[in-house]
Amino acid sequence: MLAPFARAAAGFSAGRLLDLPKHSLSKFSKHLKPVGRALELPDWYVWCNSPIYGPDGKVHVFFSRWPKAKGMGGWLNGSEIAHAVAESPAGPFEYLETVLAPRGLGYWDATTCHNPSIQFVDGKYCLFFMGNSNGKTDTKRIGLATADSLNGPWQRPDKPLLEAGETGAWDDHCTTNPAFIKHPNGQYWLYYKSWNTQDYLTAKDPTIRGNRKYGLAVAEQLEGPYVKYAGNPVIDFSKQGNNKQFEDAFVWREQDRFKMLARDMGVYNHEVGLYLESKDGKEWTFPKVAFLPLREYGVQEPPAPKNLKRYGRLERPQLLMRNGKPEYLFGASQGGKSMTASAFVFKIT
């Protein structure tokens, strides 16, 4: 059971705590104060909410959305990336425009645009994202669109930024879920998720096919080429047994250390997030818990409808940074006014 101090520090309601190992909560997890839902768009699922402060002092969010009619799985074959803005992280956010949409037959991002992660690098805005060409997982590839302004115009890539590995490699299935950081040495570091196709096709558990790991690719120029680190994968929980894995990494540097948030897929349980640290960005600590499901913060919501199987948990963690420090946590969560999915925002105290 968790210590009573952890219960008080996190502001959790009595009797709500998950049964987690003692001392598993990270310090990060104890400084989250729920702000509430944002970007609740009628007739849309909203996911992958990546925030950044603009020169205008406003909060700009680049997010994925797809029509409600497609259901939760519509992200794979019909997502687009949109831009919204608000006066503060608490919103309300105003939809401005769709900046990247599927381009159709013949393009590497023909059928979906997803996983946006907005960064300001070398005086330009960089929108890392994932696209696919057949509406399936095996053509997911990471791309990079750039612009001089958050309002565009965006220069869209003709080719992916990073390809999958050779047949049989741990990452031969795809490249997806980009997490980027410019290294203090001037290099450009791109973390990516992938898994092995054969493991995916022969999986005994159809609900979680394959084992998701993270690799690192490094470039001397922002646009690449990105060369995969010889020691990949840099994070791999498969040796823990029971097909433990993770996804949705977000990486930043603080206090001369690399830090990472991610979504747990069995290390503790599927309802929590993970927090990891590293001195060099290659060797990472065993994770602690970064965040808990919304109910643990006293967030009260209507009962889950039958079509939402992940109701109440937080996914795709992205940070709003100010002066190099995390200020707000943006996540994605099923539910909201339309009972689809929306952003959920936490203040980091």
Side-chain angles (χ1 to χ4, degrees):
M1 295 298 293
L2 296 173
F5 172 75
R7 185 190 303 261
F12 302 145
S13 301
R16 288 181 175 268
L17 288 176
L18 292 172
D19 185 14
L20 294 169
K22 189 176 181 180
H23 306 308
S24 63
L25 280 182
S26 66
K27 290 182 179 179
F28 180 91
S29 72
K30 300 173 185 178
H31 293 275
L32 298 177
K33 180 180 179 181
V35 174
R37 287 190 178 271
L39 285 166
E40 297 179 89
L41 303 184
D43 301 320
W44 295 90
Y45 283 83
V46 168
W47 213 251
C48 304
N49 307 280
S50 183
I52 190 171
Y53 280 111
D56 54 6
K58 297 180 180 180
V59 180
H60 295 254
V61 174
F62 291 82
F63 62 98
S64 302
R65 70 175 194 172
W66 61 95
K68 181 178 181 179
K70 283 183 171 287
M72 186 64 206
W75 67 269
L76 191 56
N77 63 357
S79 178
E80 63 184 31
I81 295 173
H83 177 198
V85 66
E87 296 291 337
S88 79
F93 285 89
E94 176 189 0
Y95 165 83
L96 295 181
E97 62 175 341
T98 294
V99 296
L100 296 174
R103 287 191 281 186
L105 188 64
Y107 291 93
W108 70 273
D109 50 2
T111 44
T112 208
C113 294
H114 198 61
N115 290 159
S117 180
I118 186 69
Q119 306 280 338
F120 185 66
V121 186
D122 298 345
K124 67 176 68 175
Y125 292 98
C126 301
L127 186 57
F128 295 87
F129 70 104
M130 176 275 287
N132 68 9
S133 61
N134 64 356
K136 299 179 181 180
T137 59
D138 62 344
T139 60
K140 294 200 297 182
R141 300 291 186 269
I142 290 172
L144 170 62
T146 59
D148 294 328
S149 166
L150 286 169
N151 296 316
W154 293 91
Q155 295 183 357
R156 191 160 180 168
D158 292 329
K159 296 181 180 180
L161 193 65
L162 189 68
E163 289 285 356
E166 296 181 359
T167 301
W170 73 271
D171 61 349
D172 70 356
H173 195 78
C174 62
T175 63
T176 186
N177 292 75
F180 173 86
I181 192 167
K182 185 174 181 181
H183 196 282
N185 67 11
Q187 292 179 327
Y188 303 86
W189 284 29
L190 178 65
Y191 293 87
Y192 67 100
K193 182 183 82 174
S194 191
W195 60 92
N196 175 265
T197 297
Q198 187 63 22
D199 290 346
Y200 180 77
L201 295 176
T202 60
K204 295 181 180 179
D205 182 356
T207 60
I208 311 174
R209 299 168 61 190
N211 188 277
R212 288 143 188 82
K213 306 175 179 67
Y214 258 81
L216 169 65
V218 178
E220 301 299 327
Q221 305 292 331
L222 175 63
E223 294 80 7
Y226 282 81
V227 178
K228 294 177 181 178
Y229 171 54
N232 280 343
V234 293
I235 306 178
D236 175 4
F237 295 130
S238 64
K239 296 179 178 63
Q240 299 290 324
N242 297 318
N243 202 26
K244 294 180 180 181
Q245 53 191 287
F246 80 122
E247 65 176 3
D248 293 350
F250 178 91
V251 179
W252 77 104
R253 274 183 59 85
E254 187 181 8
Q255 299 172 337
D256 296 323
R257 294 180 70 85
F258 292 81
K259 299 184 178 183
M260 177 185 289
L261 296 179
R263 184 179 86 83
D264 190 355
M265 297 181 72
V267 179
Y268 293 99
N269 67 55
H270 288 256
E271 291 195 277
V272 305
L274 301 178
Y275 174 91
L276 301 83
E277 291 192 0
S278 173
K279 292 181 179 180
D280 62 1
K282 298 174 180 176
E283 299 288 334
W284 293 84
T285 59
F286 188 80
K288 290 195 171 185
V289 174
F291 51 82
L292 297 165
L294 298 183
R295 66 177 183 274
E296 305 290 340
Y297 300 93
V299 177
Q300 297 183 356
E301 298 195 293
K306 293 181 179 180
N307 64 305
L308 299 182
K309 306 301 182 184
R310 306 174 184 176
Y311 192 74
R313 77 186 189 200
L314 197 70
E315 302 189 31
R316 290 292 296 160
Q318 302 277 304
L319 293 178
L320 178 60
M321 309 290 289
R322 187 186 288 276
N323 300 323
K325 294 183 178 180
E327 188 180 46
Y328 286 83
L329 168 63
F330 279 63
S333 182
Q334 292 184 348
K337 294 177 181 177
S338 299
M339 280 298 167
T340 52
S342 76
F344 196 97
V345 183
F346 286 85
K347 177 77 169 73
I348 301 173
T349 61

